[in-house]
Amino acid sequence: MSNQAVVKRQEALASMCDERARMLQDQFNVSMNHLQALAILVSTFHHSKNPSAIDQTTFAKYAERTAFERPLTSGVAYAVKVTHAEREQFERQQGWSIKKMYSSKKKSSPGPGDAASSEIREPAEEYAPVIFAQDAYKHVVSFDMLSGYEDRENILRARASGKGVLTAPFKLLNNRLGVISTYTVYKYELPPNARPQERIQAAIGYLGGIFDIEALVDKLLHQLAGKQSIMVNVYDTTNDSPISMYGSNDTGDVMYHVSTLNFGDPSRKHEMQCRFMQRP
Ligand code: WA2
């Protein structure tokens, strides 16, 4: 190939990749905004009304009917803050007990201090059991989201910051690869400059969106022309070793282009890598 042809090809790849990255980012952003709106809905109709105007059936129905607003999510769930002192009464009211997400033998990730901890565990200070979920994720109701490493980190970061936060891609309870986005519900409206400590104190619940990256990114890319000719990989590049969020390990052409992605959580980094399927 002539030099000029190579440049042309690189330019074509860059524009196709940037277009895909922009589309994905926009849909991610739209989905995140609607999760925030859903958190406000729960605040208004569950916490600010006595008795609550939302139950599991109402939540599931509303979430299902507005699912088109969150194009990259396959479900939503809502967990409430329960202190250890409140646990018994909460469980009696719900008619079920709070469950741990993973058995202690197979934990998603060891936490600090685990090696030193004895056989008998201290009861947790607080819990975040799921009380509402879209039907596809009904199986997470009653599970304590503070008992899973990724979910816990997300909740702690979300409530201290007041912003929407994301996990790295990880294997969900349904065994699929996913990313969870969390928004906090507070007891009262907080000023934008509220201190983390004040936010933590005022937190009462956590609205989570489940991003099914594999299935939904695939659907999105299939809507684009020329998808047969281009190979797309999406990575979480927050840590030194990138985690694949989408795409195959196919080799493809040597020429590649990297488009940056912004999913709205400044503490996580993502990128899209594109290659032509065929060598020239
Ligand atoms: N939702 C569904 N499946 C999961 C999961 C989860 N988290 N974690 C592991 N598998 C209620 O951030 C609050 C949802 C967590 C929200």
Side-chain angles (χ1 to χ4, degrees), residues 76-79 101-102 128 130 132 137 139-140 145 151 154-155 170-174 180-183 206-210:
V76 294
Y78 183 67
M101 290 176 82
Y102 310 96
V130 172
F132 304 141
Y137 289 92
H139 60 276
V140 303
M145 292 296 135
D151 281 295
N154 232 35
I155 287 172
F170 72 105
K171 209 181 193 188
L172 304 178
L173 288 174
N174 63 5
I180 307 284
S181 160
T182 305
Y183 281 94
Y206 319 99
L207 193 278
I210 301 117

Side-chain angles (χ1 to χ4, degrees), residues 12 108 112 121 141 151-152 172 209 219 232 242 250 257 262 278:
S108 59
R121 276 175 201 280
V141 170
D151 281 295
R152 181 184 183 84
L172 304 178
K219 197 172 119 193
V232 175
D250 283 4
H257 180 81
N262 181 354
Q278 312 280 318

Side-chain angles (χ1 to χ4, degrees), residues 117-121:
S117 72
S118 59
E119 282 299 305
I120 302 144
R121 276 175 201 280

Side-chain angles (χ1 to χ4, degrees), residues 24 48 62 67 89 116 184 195 201 225-226 241:
L24 180 61
S48 306
Y62 182 83
Q89 200 201 344
T184 307
R195 306 231 166 276
Q201 292 266 318
S241 46

Side-chain angles (χ1 to χ4, degrees), residues 184-195:
T184 307
V185 173
Y186 298 99
K187 243 188 302 227
Y188 44 86
E189 241 182 284
L190 286 154
N193 63 345
R195 306 231 166 276

Side-chain angles (χ1 to χ4, degrees), residues 123-237:
E125 232 169 82
E126 59 169 298
Y127 310 90
V130 172
I131 57 164
F132 304 141
Q134 206 167 330
D135 277 338
Y137 289 92
K138 247 185 177 162
H139 60 276
V140 303
V141 170
S142 82
F143 278 93
D144 174 18
M145 292 296 135
L146 286 173
S147 69
Y149 178 78
E150 290 85 357
D151 281 295
R152 181 184 183 84
E153 295 295 301
N154 232 35
I155 287 172
L156 299 183
R157 217 152 54 77
R159 73 182 184 185
S161 70
K163 305 243 162 57
V165 301
L166 293 172
T167 64
F170 72 105
K171 209 181 193 188
L172 304 178
L173 288 174
N174 63 5
N175 270 329
R176 293 184 61 84
L177 187 72
V179 166
I180 307 284
S181 160
T182 305
Y183 281 94
T184 307
V185 173
Y186 298 99
K187 243 188 302 227
Y188 44 86
E189 241 182 284
L190 286 154
N193 63 345
R195 306 231 166 276
Q197 201 47 45
E198 192 182 348
R199 291 191 172 278
I200 293 164
Q201 292 266 318
I204 49 175
Y206 319 99
L207 193 278
I210 301 117
F211 286 78
D212 190 332
I213 306 293
E214 287 288 335
L216 297 157
V217 175
D218 214 58
K219 197 172 119 193
L220 177 71
L221 296 175
H222 274 72
Q223 295 163 6
L224 284 169
K227 55 108 187 148
Q228 307 89 338
S229 59
I230 183 171
M231 225 173 71
V232 175
N233 282 279
V234 178
Y235 298 98
D236 180 312
T237 53

Side-chain angles (χ1 to χ4, degrees), residues 51-73:
S52 164
I54 302 181
D55 58 12
Q56 164 58 20
T57 311
T58 316
F59 182 89
K61 201 166 175 181
Y62 182 83
E64 202 62 49
R65 292 189 65 193
T66 55
F68 69 93
E69 302 266 33
R70 303 176 298 271
L72 291 178
T73 68

